[in-house]
Amino acid sequence: MSKTTKYLLVSLPTSISPSNERDEALTALRSSVSPDYGITYPFNIPTFKIGALDALIQQADDLAKLSSDCEAVVGKIADSLASILEGDSEKITQQKNVNDKPVDQYLQTFSWNKVKYRADKPIAELADSLRKELLGLDNDVRSKFGQYNGTKNSLLAAHRKQTGNLSTKSLISIVDPSSLVTSSEYIETHLLAIPRPSTKDYLKSYESLSPMVIPRSSTEIAADKEFTLFAVSTFKKHSAEFLHKCRERKWTPRDFRYAEGSREEEQAEVERLSKEERKLWGEALRLGRTGFSEAAMTWMHVLALRVFVETILRYGLPAEFVCGLIKTNEKVSKKIKGTLDATYMHLAGNAVGRDSKGRVVKDDSSMQTEMQSAGQSDGEYTPYVLYEFEMS
């Protein structure tokens, strides 16, 4: 099998078995799926409170949108976990459990949470509860990861100030304030980061770059592999012109304001951000792990409701059906659906038939009518209730 696991939720009327019993109907479904293509597990869905037909059709549409929202939230949380764990697949898999079980095991043993979602409540009320839970989860996880990423970016910026080149890094620990003119009413000193290949050109031309540059005022403050930092003095009234000409030549003016104790404050800020980043990393990881579990469970309960509603719309009352979860992969899922189409084509009435060679063919006009009456408008028509999804 391929690495990407795919799941098919299939609902069939129990009338597919001679006894009309659910267990025998599940056995019939299993016998339709070759073990080489997939494994079929029971997916137990309770009987819910059923309202009017018009209400069921509307609920089918609402649940379709809610299911898409659930899938999107589960995917976003999974991406957030992958980001915070820096793509470590083993660690990511360890964090992506559902109800304290691996994803696969949870799906294979799915059971409707009757305590949290009482089956005797109206379907619309259950869907509304699930929608509110999903929205709360999404907001909480996005807020925490946004807080973490903001602090992480601030820490990276603080580190860049300490470890970058002379055109970007903090100058607090590099520049001696005594080398700058700071008390004059007319003259001020500028700090320029000059690319190393441009150093000679700078020394030859800086005095004539603008009027009233103090001759021979340029002094080298520091150098690294990419830049040399110079201090040069000009009259204040020509400072703007001088700095503009520097930028035109790709010489980088650096802002510098020295204050007593600023070195200590800068280091303290880095330490504070480092501590805050570690704290938020742990909080985001815990919330991401919990959020993935809760969002995945919400999604499965929404899918259970979708299956039930479409089953009633498709097969009618009483609600005598069996639902199976087929674990397969993208490569062979089409073969499974082809087999199921051929086996259960009689459930679709006039929507499907066979050509002269015995192959299943679908009547598009009948198909659209069937899909609309069953509330299924988001995928290809099948003679049985089918939903496909991935959760990895």
Side-chain angles (χ1 to χ4, degrees):
M1 284 192 174
S2 66
K3 291 182 178 180
T4 302
T5 301
K6 190 165 193 173
Y7 298 96
L8 310 181
L9 265 180
V10 178
S11 173
L12 293 162
T14 54
S15 60
I16 63 171
S17 67
S19 67
N20 205 38
E21 293 291 332
R22 185 170 294 183
D23 289 344
E24 189 173 338
L26 180 63
T27 300
L29 172 58
R30 281 187 170 130
S31 66
S32 303
V33 181
S34 168
D36 294 332
Y37 293 161
I39 305 172
T40 305
Y41 302 94
F43 193 87
N44 296 316
I45 300 174
T47 299
F48 298 102
K49 190 175 181 179
I50 301 170
L53 176 62
D54 289 348
L56 281 177
I57 294 174
Q58 181 60 52
Q59 287 159 8
D61 291 339
D62 294 342
L63 288 167
K65 182 180 183 305
L66 181 55
S67 180
S68 296
D69 292 342
C70 288
E71 183 177 7
V73 170
V74 170
K76 285 190 293 184
I77 296 176
D79 289 343
S80 295
L81 284 171
S83 174
I84 203 170
L85 293 171
E86 300 179 339
D88 189 317
S89 57
E90 184 176 347
K91 290 181 179 178
I92 294 168
T93 300
Q94 290 173 355
Q95 299 299 322
K96 288 165 60 176
N97 288 331
V98 183
N99 201 24
D100 296 324
K101 300 176 183 176
V103 170
D104 195 49
Q105 184 181 345
Y106 170 77
L107 295 174
Q108 293 170 20
T109 60
F110 174 80
S111 177
W112 182 269
N113 189 334
K114 296 180 180 179
V115 175
K116 195 172 184 180
Y117 312 110
R118 286 171 45 190
D120 60 349
K121 289 185 177 181
I123 291 173
E125 186 176 333
L126 291 170
D128 189 54
S129 295
L130 290 163
R131 185 180 298 105
K132 288 177 179 176
E133 282 192 15
L134 182 72
L135 181 61
L137 283 168
D138 188 30
N139 288 337
D140 289 346
V141 174
R142 282 194 295 110
S143 175
K144 182 57 67 177
F145 273 85
Q147 189 180 2
Y148 165 72
N149 286 325
T151 300
K152 179 182 177 182
N153 290 336
S154 296
L155 178 60
L156 290 173
H159 278 309
R160 280 195 296 271
K161 286 184 177 181
Q162 292 188 327
T163 60
N165 59 46
L166 287 169
S167 70
T168 59
K169 71 187 300 184
S170 170
L171 301 180
I172 290 176
S173 61
I174 296 173
V175 178
D176 183 352
S178 64
S179 64
L180 309 178
V181 177
T182 57
S183 57
S184 172
E185 183 179 353
Y186 302 103
I187 297 174
E188 64 181 339
T189 302
H190 309 288
L191 295 172
L192 301 174
I194 311 298
R196 293 296 289 267
S198 303
T199 301
K200 290 183 179 180
D201 178 46
Y202 161 78
L203 292 173
K204 290 180 181 178
S205 60
Y206 80 88
E207 292 182 0
S208 59
L209 208 57
S210 72
M212 305 190 78
V213 177
I214 307 301
R216 295 182 295 281
S217 64
S218 180
T219 56
E220 181 177 327
I221 303 297
D224 59 24
K225 292 181 180 180
E226 299 175 68
F227 292 88
T228 302
L229 185 69
F230 288 95
V232 60
S233 298
T234 68
F235 278 77
K236 289 182 179 181
K237 66 179 181 178
H238 291 286
S239 290
E241 180 183 355
F242 177 78
L243 294 177
H244 176 71
K245 292 291 182 65
C246 288
R247 292 188 180 94
E248 286 183 343
R249 297 194 175 204
K250 310 300 182 185
W251 302 344
T252 306
R254 297 297 316 278
D255 288 330
F256 178 78
R257 297 290 183 273
Y258 180 80
E260 193 69 34
S262 54
R263 296 181 185 180
E264 292 77 10
E265 288 178 6
E266 185 177 84
Q267 184 58 37
E269 178 65 5
V270 171
E271 292 173 358
R272 184 191 69 79
L273 287 170
S274 295
K275 184 177 180 180
E276 183 70 8
E277 190 265 351
R278 287 193 299 272
K279 172 177 169 287
L280 289 172
W281 184 91
E283 292 177 358
L285 180 63
R286 287 190 293 274
L287 188 56
R289 179 174 60 237
T290 302
F292 180 85
S293 175
E294 295 292 334
M297 286 191 286
T298 298
W299 187 16
M300 288 307 101
H301 281 72
V302 170
L303 279 176
L305 283 176
R306 287 194 78 187
V307 169
F308 179 82
V309 169
E310 189 181 338
T311 295
I312 300 304
L313 290 171
R314 191 78 76 92
Y315 307 137
L317 293 171
E320 296 176 346
F321 68 97
V322 65
C323 184
L325 177 76
I326 303 172
K327 179 185 176 183
T328 181
N329 62 70
E330 182 68 34
K331 185 176 181 180
V332 299
S333 63
K334 292 182 179 179
K335 295 181 180 179
I336 293 176
K337 288 186 286 184
T339 301
L340 293 174
D341 285 350
T343 305
Y344 301 112
M345 61 172 291
H346 63 280
L347 297 174
N350 294 328
V352 297
R354 292 185 185 272
D355 61 16
S356 59
K357 295 183 180 180
R359 294 173 299 192
V360 174
V361 293
K362 300 178 181 180
D363 183 331
D364 289 341
S365 59
S366 297
M367 186 188 313
Q368 291 301 321
T369 302
E370 291 281 346
M371 290 175 71
Q372 290 171 5
S373 64
Q376 182 184 12
S377 58
D378 60 343
E380 182 182 357
Y381 180 86
T382 57
Y384 43 88
V385 177
L386 169 69
Y387 291 112
E388 305 174 58
F389 66 94
E390 296 175 7
M391 188 187 298
S392 55

